[in-house]
Amino acid sequence: MNILELTDNRGNIMYNVAIMGATGAVGQVMLELLAERGFPIGELRLLASARSAGKEVEFEGETHTIGELREDSFANIDLVLASAGGSISRKFAPCAIDAGAVVVDNTSAFRMDPSVPLVVPEINPQDLATHAGIIANPNCSTIIMDVVVWPLYRRSRVERIVVSTYQAISGAGARAMEELESQTREVLEGKGARPREMPHQIAFNLFSHNTQIGAEGYCEEEMKMVCETRKMFHDDDIRITPTCVRVPVMRAHSEAVNLEFEEVVDESEAREILAAAPGVEIVDDVEANHFPMPIEASGKDAVLVGRIRNDISRADGRGIDLFISGDQLRKGAALNAIQIAEELVER
C-alpha cells in the first residue's frame, strides 16, 4: 500500500479507504463491517455513480457525502474496496493503482487474470504476496462452498465436487432484493408478478441461475465455481459439476455438496475437521432436525455446515455429503474483501 503518515492518537497507522459502489447492497455491508471490525481508517471516501452523488451516509457518527466516481477520485487513497460492477472496475481500478492504491475487487473483472491473486484468507492468504495492485474477491457461491471444502481437502485431496446451489436474491443486488419484496406483495394481493430485475417471477418460484449458458451447457455462475476453485486450490485437475438456482430467499446462499476424496474420510473425521475450521460453524442437530438455514446464516460471518454424512452410494468410504448456508453479502462478498484488507495491513 501507499501508506500515508497518518496515525491516531495512540500512534497506530491509519489508512485512507475508498469504497467504489458505496450505495449498493455490498457497499453498505462493507461500511457496517469496517465499523464492526474497527478497521483503522484515516479518511473514508465513498464513491458511486453520478446518480447517487450528493447523497449522505452516516458512518461512526459522522455524515459522509457520496462523491461521483471519476478517474481522479483516488488521490491519497491507500485502499479501494470495489463493488460497482465488472465494467466499472475495469475502467477505474487502473486509475486507483496509478494513484498508489491497492484495489480489492469484488467483481468478476480480474478473477481469472493469471497475474491477479484470487483470495479467500481462510484458504490461500499466501497468494497475496504476488499482487501487483489488484486482489480479486471470488464469486459468492464459490467462497461459501470453498470455506467448507478447503479444510477437508487439506486432509485428503478432493477429486470431485457435485454441488447444487440455492442462491438468494441478494446476489443480484439491492434492486433485485426490492423486487422480491414488492413482487411477493403483488402476488399475495392477487396481482400478476411483474419481473423487472429478474427474467422470471421470483416470488414463490425458483429458476436456473440467470447468467448466460455457455457452449458446454453450464451457466456463467456455474463455471465461476469451477474455475475459481481450481485457481485458489492450485489444482487444475479437480472435477467440479455445479447446478446453480435462484430461490425466493432474501439473503444468504445455501448449497448441497457431495465430495469425493482420494482417501477414505468418514463422517466423524469430517465433523472433527470442520469443528476446528476457521470461518465455519457446525449446525447439525439430528434430534431436532435442525440444520443450516439461510434465515439463520443471514447476518453471520461464519458459513454454517450440517447434514454431515457418509455418501451411502459409495462402498469405498471416500464420499461425504454436506449442506451449507452462508451470508452472500457478508462472507460471500463484503467480509471477504475486508478480511483481505486486514491481511494486507498485517503484512
Side-chain angles (χ1 to χ4, degrees):
M1 287 188 193
N2 179 29
I3 300 171
L4 303 178
E5 292 301 318
L6 293 173
T7 59
D8 63 11
N9 56 14
R10 297 181 181 179
N12 298 314
I13 295 176
M14 311 294 281
Y15 301 88
N16 290 344
V17 177
I19 298 180
M20 283 170 48
T23 57
V26 174
Q28 290 297 297
V29 177
M30 284 177 173
L31 284 170
E32 292 174 19
L33 289 166
L34 287 169
E36 284 179 20
R37 298 171 74 87
F39 192 85
I41 296 175
E43 177 192 350
L44 178 63
R45 197 173 300 172
L46 305 182
L47 304 169
S49 66
R51 182 180 58 190
S52 297
K55 292 181 179 178
E56 294 185 341
V57 174
E58 293 293 319
F59 179 77
E60 296 198 303
E62 294 186 8
T63 300
H64 295 260
T65 302
I66 302 292
E68 182 180 353
L69 178 61
R70 303 184 309 191
E71 285 87 347
D72 60 355
S73 293
F74 307 102
N76 298 324
I77 289 294
D78 300 307
L79 171 70
V80 177
L81 300 172
S83 189
S87 62
I88 301 296
S89 285
R90 280 187 286 271
K91 179 177 179 180
F92 289 101
C95 303
I97 294 167
D98 288 344
V102 174
V103 178
V104 180
D105 187 65
N106 192 53
T107 77
S108 61
F110 305 105
R111 287 174 185 157
M112 297 315 298
D113 185 328
S115 68
V116 174
L118 182 70
V119 175
V120 171
E122 292 91 343
I123 297 172
N124 60 330
Q126 70 281 358
D127 289 352
L128 289 172
T130 67
H131 87 78
I134 300 179
I135 298 140
N137 218 35
N139 185 50
C140 50
S141 53
T142 307
I143 293 175
I144 289 167
M145 177 179 74
D146 287 349
V147 165
V148 173
V149 172
W150 176 249
L152 298 170
Y153 182 102
R154 293 184 66 189
R155 158 61 182 84
S156 173
R157 179 178 172 272
V158 175
E159 293 184 327
R160 185 170 187 254
I161 303 173
V162 181
V163 55
S164 296
T165 72
Y166 309 81
Q167 292 184 227
I169 205 67
S170 58
R175 287 199 295 268
M177 294 170 74
E178 292 168 5
E179 179 164 306
L180 172 58
E181 186 175 344
S182 63
Q183 207 177 82
T184 301
R185 285 199 188 98
E186 290 168 357
V187 173
L188 288 173
E189 291 170 359
K191 302 174 183 176
R194 294 173 295 168
R196 294 177 295 275
E197 296 298 316
M198 294 284 100
H200 310 289
Q201 175 180 328
I202 185 60
F204 306 101
N205 191 31
L206 54 81
F207 48 82
S208 181
H209 194 279
N210 52 299
T211 48
Q212 186 173 356
I213 304 291
E216 67 289 301
Y218 287 74
C219 71
E220 290 176 2
E221 185 81 358
E222 291 158 355
M223 291 310 299
K224 288 175 185 177
M225 297 185 77
V226 175
C227 299
E228 292 170 14
T229 298
R230 288 173 173 170
K231 182 174 180 179
M232 285 191 295
F233 285 17
H234 299 279
D235 184 349
D236 290 336
D237 296 323
I238 186 171
R239 293 172 289 138
I240 306 169
T241 178
T243 300
C244 293
V245 177
R246 283 274 188 224
V247 296
V249 169
M250 189 63 75
R251 183 163 170 171
H253 293 349
S254 299
E255 301 177 2
V257 183
N258 175 271
L259 302 177
E260 177 185 322
F261 297 93
E262 281 188 342
E263 302 171 4
V264 173
V265 178
D266 67 18
E267 172 188 330
S268 59
E269 186 176 12
R271 192 181 304 275
E272 183 178 337
I273 291 167
L274 292 172
V280 175
E281 178 184 337
I282 293 181
V283 178
D284 202 43
D285 187 343
V286 175
E287 293 294 323
N289 203 2
H290 184 178
F291 304 107
M293 293 182 283
I295 199 168
E296 293 183 349
S298 295
K300 283 195 171 185
D301 291 345
V303 177
L304 310 183
V305 59
R307 299 299 316 279
I308 304 165
R309 60 205 188 277
N310 296 322
D311 178 353
I312 61 171
S313 73
R314 305 185 64 98
D316 57 11
R318 295 191 296 117
I320 291 289
D321 284 301
L322 311 164
F323 191 78
I324 60 184
S325 287
D327 190 320
Q328 178 274 336
L329 295 175
R330 289 179 80 93
K331 184 53 187 173
L335 174 61
N336 197 75
I338 291 170
Q339 287 177 305
I340 289 171
E342 291 169 344
E343 287 278 344
L344 292 172
V345 167
E346 284 200 20
R347 287 163 184 259

